[in-house]
């Protein structure tokens, strides 16, 4: 098959002004750390240092929590709900207005293709603020009792795969419900959260309502264990989520956890195959596979296995891997050397355990962290690549014969975040979906998000829901 050659179409980075050094955003201003230390954030596509950022120490976290408390009690909590809504609408509009700048910044710091940051992350981040702005003055009608009240101060810890979008998922509902927040972005992707701090200033948000403390795991641990935090919201690995749940056990703090996944993407023999192949590609190669709900286990009905694999390999051959700022790029850089090492280690385990590895032929850049789009066939349910979250562009292909076997295999995982079903029969979609133990089930599509739709997991994928009316519950006492 002929593959089109595309001339480079780089997005200009001139729209972004990155400072050489950033402090912490506490009490409405950028301040230097009292007991923190500087660290660097790099562009994973080039290894270029983008900025020096500050890791907050325990005293800094304490300052941020106290600023959030004062703002909650004196300003944000007592404020009429309609006025809180106005601030959220203002933030939503500024995110939209500055979306090109934020998209470029996200791609620089995270390595994701500009097409995705521009067309997915940014529109959804703005949509989240618009959605929850609408809820701010309608909380008594959310079905959570006639007089729902804010919890107080929320400590929020987010990962590096969708930095600004995860910030929006956390901050928008918290503020709409009258809480104030201290948010810690991931160590490798702090820049859009710091840009968001500037947006809060631009929106005139009262000081202390949003505080951003950058840093690594220790900063996150200091935040979630701080006595002044009433609610903890965490998105990240199951391992750290489990540690946080243990730390908080027996305390009065409320906790929601959005953890890992190992989603099954089930393709029945009556599925529209061209669409299914697009859905498989989108399911696992979107955002380099750094997606908690990625369709990382393809369950394909045995009778169509060979045909699906042929078409899939052909499609994977056309994926363009490279410069995240090029508008033609499909797959960008792996976010960090640590993540690259994890993907490589699990892929080697797949080979060692007997699965057959195939990678799309592509030239990887010399600098930066890269992994080619890869699939494994001959995978069994016992293989590590069928059980563990790889969090990279690696698909494990398994087969099934009957719908019951598909459901059994799909549910045979400690996780339960998402799943996909491809078939032309509506009755089969419903039959399958009601048997899948997954928080989200997509039918004839994959990786679709909407702020009105709740998202969250079963089992080791965590608990609590984010998004929609259900997402309000995590931030309200009722
Ligand atoms: P982590 O769970 O370690 O990171 C998530 C966030 O928690 C980051 O902000 C992190 O800071 C912070 N953190 C780390 N340790 C603690 C702690 N003890 N207390 C409070 N906060 C803490 O994920 P990693 O980035 O280390 O990725 C490891 C693996 O986790 C990945 O390979 C992937 O499999 C999975 N993962 C899954 C995600 C999902 O959404 N399902 C998201 C991210 C990762 P810091 O960035 O400094 O480590």
């Amino acid at each position: 098959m002929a593959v089109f050659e595309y001339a480079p179409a780089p997005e200009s980075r001139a729209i972004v002004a990155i400072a050489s050094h950033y402090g912490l955003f506490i009490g409405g201003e950028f301040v230097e750390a009292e007991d923190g230390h500087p660290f660097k954030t790099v562009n994973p596509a080039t290894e270029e240092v983008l900025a020096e950022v500050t890791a907050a120490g325990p005293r800094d976290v304490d300052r941020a929590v106290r600023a959030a408390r004062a703002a909650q009690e004196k300003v944000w909590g007592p404020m009429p709900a309609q006025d809180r809504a106005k601030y959220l609408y203002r933030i939503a509009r500024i995110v939209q207005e500055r979306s090109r700048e934020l998209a470029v910044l996200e791609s620089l710091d995270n390595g994701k293709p500009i097409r995705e940051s521009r067309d997915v992350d940014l529109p959804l981040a703005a949509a989240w603020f618009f959605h929850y702005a609408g809820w701010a003055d309608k909380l008594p009608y959310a079905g959570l009792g006639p007089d729902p009240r804010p919890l107080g101060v929320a400590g929020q810890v987010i990962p590096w795969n969708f930095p600004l979008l995860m910030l929006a998922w956390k901050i928008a509902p918290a503020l709409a419900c009258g809480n104030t927040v201290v948010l810690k972005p991931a160590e490798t992707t702090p820049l859009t959260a710091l840009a968001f701090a500037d947006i809060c200033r631009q929106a005139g948000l009262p000081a202390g309502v949003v505080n951003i403390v950058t840093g690594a795991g220790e900063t996150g641990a200091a935040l979630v264990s701080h006595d002044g935090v009433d609610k903890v919201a965490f998105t990240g690995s199951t391992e750290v989520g489990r540690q946080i749940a243990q730390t908080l056990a027996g305390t009065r703090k409320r906790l929601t956890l959005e953890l890992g996944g190992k989603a099954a993407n089930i393709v029945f023999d009556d599925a529209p195959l061209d669409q299914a192949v697009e859905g498989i590609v989108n399911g696992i190669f979107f955002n380099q596979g750094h997606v908690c709900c990625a369709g990382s286990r393809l369950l394909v009905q045995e009778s169509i296995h060979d045909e699906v694999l042929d078409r899939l390999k052909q499609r994977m051959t056309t994926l363009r891997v490279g410069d995240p700022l090029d508008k033609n790029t499909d797959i960008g850089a792996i976010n960090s050397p640590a993540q690259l090492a994890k993907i490589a280690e699990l892929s080697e385990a797949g080979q060692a355990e007997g699965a057959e590895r195939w990678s799309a032929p592509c030239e990887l850049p010399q600098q930066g962290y890269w992994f080619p789009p890869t699939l494994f066939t001959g995978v069994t349910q016992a293989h590590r690549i069928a059980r563990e979250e790889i969090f990279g562009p690696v698909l494990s292909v398994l087969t099934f014969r009957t719908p019951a076997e598909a459901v059994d295999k799909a549910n045979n995982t400690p996780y339960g975040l998402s799943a996909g079903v491809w078939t032309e029969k509506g009755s089969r979609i419903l039959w399958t979906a009601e048997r899948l133990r997954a928080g989200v089930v997509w039918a004839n599509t994959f990786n679709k998000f909407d702020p009105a739709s709740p998202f969250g997991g079963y089992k080791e994928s965590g608990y609590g829901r984010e998004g929609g009316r259900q997402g309000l519950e995590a931030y309200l006492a009722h």
Side-chain angles (χ1 to χ4, degrees):
M1 189 178 68
V3 177
F4 289 112
E5 286 300 327
Y6 287 79
E11 174 71 61
S12 164
R13 60 182 279 181
I15 193 163
V16 183
I18 303 177
S20 56
H21 170 84
Y22 290 89
L24 306 165
F25 187 66
I26 297 177
E29 44 185 24
F30 280 100
V31 297
E32 290 308 317
E34 282 179 12
D35 60 346
H37 60 270
F39 68 98
K40 293 184 168 53
T41 184
V42 303
N43 177 345
T46 60
E47 301 175 51
E48 167 206 3
V49 172
L50 293 169
E52 180 185 88
V53 187
T54 302
R59 286 218 305 275
D60 301 313
V61 169
D62 182 55
R63 267 196 298 169
V65 173
R66 280 192 282 113
R69 171 70 57 200
Q72 206 283 327
E73 288 178 356
K74 297 197 186 93
V75 188
W76 196 247
M79 185 183 283
Q82 295 89 328
D83 292 344
R84 286 203 299 263
K86 284 183 205 161
Y87 283 107
L88 288 169
Y89 279 122
R90 210 179 284 170
I91 289 171
R93 279 198 298 272
I94 299 172
V95 168
Q96 272 184 331
E97 280 161 19
R98 292 177 61 173
S99 64
R100 189 160 157 235
E101 168 200 348
L102 292 166
V104 172
L105 189 59
E106 197 77 300
S107 283
L108 285 171
D109 206 18
N110 170 281
K112 67 174 70 198
I114 187 72
R115 207 158 47 80
E116 291 178 3
S117 47
R118 183 195 62 195
D119 297 347
V120 181
D121 298 57
L122 262 296
L124 279 176
W128 239 266
F129 279 101
F130 277 117
H131 180 84
Y132 281 105
W135 271 116
D137 60 352
K138 302 171 195 70
L139 300 176
Y141 310 102
L144 300 167
D147 186 26
R149 326 226 29 99
L151 296 171
V153 174
Q156 306 179 317
V157 178
I158 56 171
W160 43 261
N161 52 344
F162 294 91
L164 189 70
L165 183 57
M166 287 302 106
L167 174 150
W169 281 31
K170 296 277 179 286
I171 292 184
L175 297 196
C177 294
N179 305 277
T180 55
V181 309
V182 180
L183 176 127
K184 191 201 87 68
E187 182 182 5
T188 56
T189 53
L191 293 184
T192 45
L194 293 165
F196 183 80
D198 187 51
I199 288 174
C200 292
R201 285 206 301 205
Q202 200 182 337
L205 191 71
V209 173
V210 168
N211 305 274
I212 309 282
V213 289
T214 42
E218 304 88 73
T219 305
L223 175 58
V224 300
S225 58
H226 193 289
D227 282 344
V229 167
D230 302 296
K231 191 238 145 46
V232 171
F234 172 80
T235 297
S237 62
T238 296
E239 189 192 346
V240 173
R242 202 176 283 135
Q243 276 173 31
I244 293 174
Q246 277 162 6
T247 310
L248 267 55
T251 71
R252 65 182 173 83
K253 288 178 199 168
R254 294 260 297 262
L255 174 64
T256 40
L257 296 173
E258 202 267 89
L259 309 175
K262 192 74 191 174
N265 205 358
I266 305 172
V267 182
F268 287 103
D269 58 6
D270 63 345
L273 287 194
D274 286 335
Q275 279 153 268
V277 166
E278 285 308 304
I280 295 164
V281 167
N282 173 42
I284 185 62
F285 301 120
F286 170 61
N287 204 36
Q288 294 73 246
H290 301 330
V291 183
C292 48
C293 51
S296 53
R297 283 185 300 149
L298 173 63
L299 295 183
V300 58
Q301 196 149 11
E302 205 175 73
S303 53
I304 54 165
H305 172 271
D306 293 352
E307 188 179 357
V308 169
L309 262 288
D310 282 350
R311 290 190 196 208
L312 181 58
K313 286 180 178 174
Q314 227 172 55
R315 178 67 180 91
M316 284 168 66
T317 305
T318 67
L319 292 173
R320 285 179 296 270
V321 183
D323 181 6
L325 286 190
D326 191 317
K327 291 168 209 158
N328 292 324
T329 293
D330 297 305
I331 301 195
I334 301 302
N335 181 249
S336 67
Q339 190 59 30
L340 182 58
K342 181 180 167 183
I343 297 167
E345 192 260 320
L346 273 163
S347 298
E348 275 147 34
Q351 264 177 308
E353 288 182 328
E356 192 178 324
R357 176 177 178 162
W358 182 87
S359 293
C362 58
E363 220 171 283
L364 300 179
Q366 293 299 308
Q367 290 289 110
Y369 320 125
W370 304 92
F371 201 87
T374 295
L375 62 79
F376 281 93
T377 46
V379 179
T380 73
Q381 296 188 80
H383 288 159
R384 282 181 67 201
I385 52 169
R387 309 198 64 77
E388 296 179 30
E389 187 177 46
I390 302 176
F391 223 60
V394 180
L395 178 68
S396 300
V397 183
L398 298 95
T399 56
F400 68 89
R401 289 184 184 159
T402 63
E405 191 188 342
V407 168
D408 279 351
K409 286 190 172 170
N411 288 338
N412 184 10
T413 167
Y415 296 111
L417 194 55
S418 63
V421 183
W422 296 83
T423 168
E424 66 166 15
K425 292 190 189 65
S427 57
R428 184 171 275 175
I429 290 171
L430 296 175
W431 184 92
T432 312
E434 72 186 11
R435 286 164 177 77
L436 291 172
R437 295 279 293 159
V440 179
V441 179
W442 286 293
N444 294 331
T445 186
F446 210 93
N447 275 338
K448 280 268 184 295
F449 304 96
D450 189 285
S453 176
F455 183 89
Y458 284 95
K459 302 191 282 185
E460 293 196 9
S461 292
Y463 43 81
R465 293 291 177 265
E466 293 185 294
R469 184 181 68 76
Q470 292 81 353
L472 296 165
E473 190 171 4
Y475 290 97
L476 289 170
H478 53 91

